[in-house]
Amino acid sequence: YLQLPMFADFSVAESAATAQIMRGLGYTWPLISAIFADAYFGIFNTLLVTALIYMAALILITIAGSADAFADWMVPMYFYVLFPAGFGGIKSLVNIMGANQFHPVIHKGEISGYYLIFYICVNIGAIASTVIQVYANELKDQYELDPDGASGPALYKAFVVPAAVFAVGIVVFLAGRSRYVYR
């Protein structure tokens, strides 16, 4: 997406550098979110905040994928701030939040089963989201006219489904908050 003229019009080198910086920042955020969770706000609150940041990233990339709504500030905001903070925070906390729902002694054997199922679901979700994004982006009616009359891909279609599914996930997460074990 970074190389498309209507999106960022980056060169291959600029695209690769942006992706690498984003990954580096994303793998730094688990440390930061762990500090926030352990020392200040707790796992639930920190996970909720990072989920909302990630939701903001998904909304931004969805909006940025429209030729009508794209603005230059969206690329650095998404790739350098919202996405790394969101996925990095979630990455370090969501599995711990789930494991905390088991008693460490009574459910000792079930915790390993939880992690197995958790990572199977994570990988199925990653595969499904990739397939959905590719399919959504390949739809025949993916082209729309931008304000200058030039045709460009309607990239937002590839991000609507993940944003909607993630929004439902946040609602489900919040709905269960009275039943969670907080440690």
Side-chain angles (χ1 to χ4, degrees):
Y1 297 130
L2 289 172
Q3 296 171 26
L4 294 171
M6 63 77 57
F7 193 65
D9 202 17
F10 283 7
S11 69
V12 173
E14 290 170 319
S15 297
T18 299
Q20 285 301 99
I21 292 169
M22 178 193 70
R23 282 186 203 102
L25 291 170
Y27 284 105
T28 302
W29 266 98
L31 300 171
I32 296 166
S33 63
I35 292 168
F36 286 148
D38 289 346
Y40 301 107
F41 306 112
I43 291 175
F44 178 84
N45 291 329
T46 308
L47 185 56
L48 179 60
V49 168
T50 57
L52 293 173
I53 291 169
Y54 190 71
M55 188 71 231
L58 290 172
I59 291 168
L60 180 64
I61 197 70
T62 302
I63 292 168
S66 172
D68 295 341
F70 178 77
D72 289 337
W73 64 268
M74 293 177 170
V75 171
M77 178 61 73
Y78 174 80
F79 284 99
Y80 301 141
V81 180
L82 295 176
F83 186 80
F87 102 79
I90 291 169
K91 184 179 193 66
S92 66
L93 299 175
V94 72
N95 60 348
I96 303 299
M97 179 78 181
N100 281 347
Q101 306 313 301
F102 296 92
H103 189 278
V105 176
I106 297 171
H107 301 121
K108 187 175 183 179
E110 294 171 345
I111 293 174
S112 62
Y114 157 76
Y115 277 109
L116 175 68
I117 293 170
F118 175 81
Y119 285 109
I120 287 172
C121 291
V122 165
N123 288 314
I124 289 171
I127 292 167
S129 69
T130 301
V131 169
I132 289 169
Q133 283 185 326
V134 168
Y135 175 74
N137 216 24
E138 293 297 323
L139 294 174
K140 290 181 181 176
D141 63 340
Q142 71 178 347
Y143 290 92
E144 63 183 21
L145 293 178
D146 68 18
D148 300 325
S151 181
L155 299 175
Y156 68 91
K157 292 178 183 178
F159 297 106
V160 168
V161 172
V165 170
F166 196 77
V168 170
I170 291 174
V171 170
V172 170
F173 178 66
L174 285 171
R177 71 181 173 268
S178 65
R179 302 187 68 194
Y180 297 137
V181 174
Y182 297 90
R183 292 188 193 157

